[in-house]
């Protein structure tokens, strides 16, 4: 697909104001379709500007952080863009985490306010009660119960807040100004607040949304990946809204049944998912017929798409899945297959506007083919830094280059193929899981002596978490009970899907667990 190289945004640039200007000529066009109804572009512009004015009236200042913990709906989009419009920095967080996780993020970001779905309010209140924080305002989306009260913060209903304020002018922000955060998981330690600029969203929409996916105002886009993911934020907000397309938003989990309902009822033309979701849909007896949907193109990211899943999907629906890789640090996809040039089993070629390098362990650039190297990226959507984490920032953001943490090979035709991670991080259903975190939780059980966690590839070629557990002498526990123990302490998606009880774990002479030995054992069975 030919595409003229996009112009850089002006120095004074606000992404929310940019979107409102782009769509000013289509006020009646449907922008958002969620579980409660629709919002036109005119209504979206009005609500974004009202929310911006409301934040300023509440005393929130430029570059102050606000936690955004909502299920996907029009209020998520209004809250995010309203904050950007005001120059306030939304910190969009995963809705699947625990109160302990949110307490850390509130303290780490020094959030002055929190925007929350009513269904997530009890968990957030627990987080607010558990750890000292600076939250002064709680903005609740679609509350059916009376709003909570606290001497520390004031609660507001978002609909009432919008009604009380006239549309505001917004902030005259700089293109390089901090605009929003996303938290990135690390192989060890706490999540890292990844700080992106106002221009980051512009660049990914131009370089990927328009140039690769080819999204236009005629499209309706549905993303199973949620808005709090970097991948979902592009698919479900910045890409379609940059061209006047319509967006389908779904609050519930993207089960096959829930996804099929939207594919058939809302007739999206572009669908964005992850390999686990595609595999689950193909295995479902309720898989819709080709003529029941309107799909012209699908995209995949989060983990490498197995060749078989891509081929079976295309055979059934007659449309390609464009597999690519992005990251929280780069905001969206920088290496991808293209419509009409899909080579299943590979991650395609570099997206125009990005430069890639494969490097040896000594840092030298690999010029040859079919050699495994560490993947580095140069491109305009790179994050500014990790908040309050100079060591990790310097390790990842190396001048104009960003270290991905992934290993790849490149064939003579220029196609890249995934070869694993530099660390022991696992991608489960498209979400990073730290084996160290799961291991440290397993050993909290009084029956467990030690544990090691690796990835187990299932029959569809997708990674699931597997734990090898050594019990204390004389102790006994079932797999189900140990899984339930982990689920109580961690986000549910992190629990080990498989557990093997073993007499001992392979270790080095100094006592370090050799996970590669367990991976070799798994591969041989």
């Amino acid at each position: 697909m030919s595409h003229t190289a996009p112009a850089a945004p002006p120095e004074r640039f606000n992404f929310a104001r940019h979107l409102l200007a782009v769509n000013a000529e289509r006020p009646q066009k449907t922008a958002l379709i969620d579980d409660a109804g629709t919002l036109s572009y005119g209504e979206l512009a009005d609500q974004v500007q009202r929310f911006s004015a409301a934040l300023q009236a509440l005393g929130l200042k430029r570059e102050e952080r606000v936690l955004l913990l909502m299920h996907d709906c029009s209020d998520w989009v209004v809250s995010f863009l309203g904050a950007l419009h005001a120059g306030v920095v939304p910190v969009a967080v995963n809705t699947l985490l625990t109160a302990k996780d949110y307490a850390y993020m509130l303290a780490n970001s020094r959030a002055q306010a929190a925007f929350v779905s009513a269904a997530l309010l009890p968990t957030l209140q627990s987080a607010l009660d558990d750890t000292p924080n600076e939250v002064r305002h709680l903005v609740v989306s679609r509350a059916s119960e009376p709003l909570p009260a606290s001497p520390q913060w004031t609660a507001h209903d978002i609909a009432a807040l919008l009604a009380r304020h006239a549309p505001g002018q917004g902030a005259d922000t700089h293109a390089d100004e901090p605009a929003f955060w996303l938290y990135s998981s690390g192989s060890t330690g706490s999540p890292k607040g990844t700080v992106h600029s106002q221009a980051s969203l512009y660049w990914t929409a131009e370089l990927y949304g328009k140039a690769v996916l080819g999204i236009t105002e005629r499209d309706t886009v549905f993303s199973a990946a949620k808005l709090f993911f970097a991948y979902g934020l592009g698919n479900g907000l910045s890409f379609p809204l940059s061209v006047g397309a319509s967006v389908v938003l779904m609050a519930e989990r993207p089960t096959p049944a829930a996804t099929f309902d939207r594919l058939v009822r809302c007739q999206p033309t572009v669908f964005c998912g992850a390999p686990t979701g595609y595999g689950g849909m193909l295995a479902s007896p309720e898989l819709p017929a080709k003529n029941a949907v309107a799909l012209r193109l699908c995209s995949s990211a989060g983990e490498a798409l197995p060749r078989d899943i891509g081929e079976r999907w295309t055979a059934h629906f007659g449309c390609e899945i464009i597999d690519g890789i992005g990251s929280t640090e780069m905001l969206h996809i920088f290496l991808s297959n293209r419509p009409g040039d899909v080579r299943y089993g590979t991650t395609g070629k570099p997206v125009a506007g990005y430069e890639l390098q494969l490097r040896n362990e000594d840092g030298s650039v690999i010029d040859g083919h079919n050699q495994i190297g560490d993947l580095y990226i140069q491109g305009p959507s790179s994050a500014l830094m990790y908040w309050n984490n100079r060591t990790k920032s310097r390790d990842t953001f190396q001048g104009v280059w960003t270290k991905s943490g992934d290993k790849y090979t490149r064939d003579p035709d220029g196609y890249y193929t995934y070869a694993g991670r530099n660390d022991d991080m696992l991608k489960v259903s498209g979400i990073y899981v730290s084996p160290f975190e799961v291991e440290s939780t397993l050993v909290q059980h009084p029956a467990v002596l030690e544990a090691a966690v690796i990835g187990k590839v299932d029959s569809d070629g997708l990674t699931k978490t597997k734990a090898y557990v050594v019990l204390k002498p004389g102790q006994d526990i079932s797999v189900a009970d140990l899984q339930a123990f982990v689920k109580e302490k961690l986000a549910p998606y992190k629990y080990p899907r498989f557990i093997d009880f073993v007499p001992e774990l392979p270790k080095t002479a100094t006592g370090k667990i050799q996970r590669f030995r367990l991976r070799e054992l798994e591969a041989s069975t």
Side-chain angles (χ1 to χ4, degrees):
M1 181 179 296
S2 62
H3 187 78
T4 304
E11 182 177 274
R12 308 304 304 182
F13 181 77
N14 181 291
F15 185 74
R17 294 173 71 180
H18 165 71
L19 287 188
L20 301 191
V22 164
N23 294 297
E25 299 303 315
R26 51 173 74 91
Q28 303 304 318
K29 172 80 185 293
T30 297
L32 308 176
I33 306 163
D34 71 5
D35 301 334
T38 64
L39 209 64
S40 70
Y41 272 102
E43 291 167 330
L44 175 62
D46 180 67
Q47 290 192 17
V48 166
Q49 293 173 94
R50 286 176 184 272
F51 196 78
S52 171
L55 296 182
Q56 294 171 317
L58 293 177
L60 292 166
K61 297 181 174 59
R62 284 268 293 274
E63 296 191 36
E64 286 187 330
R65 273 76 60 195
V66 292
L67 195 80
L68 174 50
L69 174 61
M70 282 187 192
H71 292 129
D72 283 15
C73 64
S74 60
D75 281 351
W76 200 109
V77 178
V78 169
S79 299
F80 182 83
L81 292 178
L84 260 62
H85 193 268
V88 174
V89 178
V91 180
V93 297
N94 190 330
T95 58
L96 304 174
L97 302 180
T98 65
K100 180 180 177 183
D101 295 319
Y102 299 134
Y104 168 79
M105 293 169 177
L106 287 166
N108 177 253
S109 66
R110 300 203 310 277
Q112 300 297 303
F115 311 152
V116 60
S117 291
L120 297 167
L121 186 54
T123 305
L124 181 63
Q125 280 189 264
S126 179
L128 290 167
D129 293 341
D130 285 349
T131 305
N133 59 78
E134 299 180 28
V135 172
R136 295 178 283 125
H137 296 282
L138 207 58
V139 179
V140 184
S141 169
R142 301 180 181 177
S144 57
E145 304 287 334
L147 295 178
S150 167
Q152 177 186 334
W153 39 259
T154 304
H156 312 267
D157 176 78
I158 190 169
L161 202 60
L162 293 172
R164 285 202 305 270
H165 294 88
Q169 293 300 309
D172 177 28
T173 52
H174 193 288
D176 292 336
E177 189 169 316
F180 64 99
W181 295 14
L182 301 171
Y183 271 97
S184 175
S185 297
S187 57
T188 59
S190 301
K192 303 182 292 293
T194 309
V195 182
H196 275 284
S197 71
Q198 290 279 350
S200 291
L201 291 159
Y202 169 85
W203 282 116
T204 56
E206 293 291 324
L207 298 175
Y208 196 77
K210 294 181 182 180
V212 177
L213 296 180
I215 295 175
T216 72
E217 65 179 333
R218 295 183 298 276
D219 281 307
T220 296
V221 183
F222 173 37
S223 176
K226 299 301 185 181
L227 291 168
F228 60 75
F229 290 119
Y231 177 51
L233 183 60
N235 304 336
L237 194 156
S238 59
F239 295 177
L241 298 188
S242 289
V243 297
S246 300
V247 185
V248 178
L249 298 171
M250 179 175 73
E252 64 186 297
R253 289 194 312 114
T255 61
T259 303
F260 296 156
D261 173 63
R262 273 70 176 187
L263 291 177
V264 173
R265 179 165 51 86
C266 302
Q267 294 287 292
T269 54
V270 178
F271 173 71
C272 309
T276 300
Y278 285 112
M281 286 188 283
L282 286 169
S284 171
E286 300 172 353
L287 184 70
K290 176 184 177 181
N291 61 8
V293 304
L295 295 173
R296 69 165 183 84
L297 185 66
C298 296
S299 80
S300 179
E303 54 189 322
L305 179 73
R307 180 193 303 269
D308 178 63
I309 288 178
E311 290 175 345
R312 286 193 288 134
W313 184 272
T314 298
H316 182 83
F317 286 111
C319 71
E320 298 170 317
I321 301 178
I322 309 303
D323 186 32
I325 182 176
S327 67
T328 305
E329 290 76 11
M330 294 304 297
L331 189 57
H332 211 273
I333 292 172
F334 48 79
L335 173 63
S336 181
N337 282 272
R338 305 290 199 286
D341 184 23
V342 171
R343 191 171 293 191
Y344 286 128
T346 80
T347 318
K349 296 180 178 180
V351 172
Y354 294 90
E355 184 179 348
L356 273 59
Q357 285 184 353
L358 296 181
R359 299 184 187 178
N360 291 304
E361 290 186 3
D362 63 4
S364 60
V365 177
I366 297 173
D367 291 322
H369 301 122
N370 301 320
Q371 301 177 56
I372 296 176
D374 296 328
L375 183 67
Y376 284 73
I377 313 101
Q378 179 181 167
S381 62
S382 177
L384 300 172
M385 61 177 169
Y386 296 131
W387 178 258
N388 285 356
N389 199 330
R390 184 170 172 80
T391 299
K392 293 281 189 182
S393 293
R394 294 179 74 174
D395 181 55
T396 298
F397 305 108
Q398 301 180 9
V400 297
W401 293 96
T402 299
K403 182 170 73 173
S404 73
D406 295 293
K407 290 185 179 292
Y408 266 83
T409 63
R410 181 181 58 243
D411 69 18
D413 295 329
Y415 292 86
Y416 286 69
T417 300
Y418 182 66
R421 287 282 301 172
N422 294 354
D423 52 29
D424 285 307
M425 291 290 284
L426 304 173
K427 270 286 186 76
V428 179
S429 299
I431 309 175
Y432 276 122
V433 174
S434 168
F436 307 100
E437 183 182 23
V438 182
E439 290 163 2
S440 65
T441 303
L442 285 164
V443 299
Q444 291 176 34
H445 193 282
V448 175
L449 177 63
E450 55 187 1
V453 171
I454 64 168
K456 172 184 173 69
V457 178
D458 67 12
S459 58
D460 283 329
L462 301 169
T463 300
K464 301 293 187 291
T465 320
K466 179 170 183 176
Y468 288 85
V469 174
V470 179
L471 296 177
K472 294 176 181 176
Q475 296 292 320
D476 188 29
I477 185 174
S478 71
V479 168
D481 286 347
L482 192 52
Q483 288 173 326
F485 176 80
V486 176
K487 286 181 183 180
E488 289 178 358
K489 295 184 175 295
L490 297 179
Y493 65 86
K494 297 181 181 180
Y495 84 93
R497 271 44 169 204
F498 308 96
I499 296 178
D500 279 1
F501 294 108
V502 295
E504 61 182 0
L505 297 174
K507 295 177 182 176
T508 65
T510 57
K512 185 177 180 181
I513 294 173
Q514 296 175 308
R515 289 185 188 80
F516 75 93
R517 297 286 187 202
L518 296 174
R519 287 192 284 267
E520 290 173 353
L521 176 64
E522 185 60 41
S524 67
T525 57

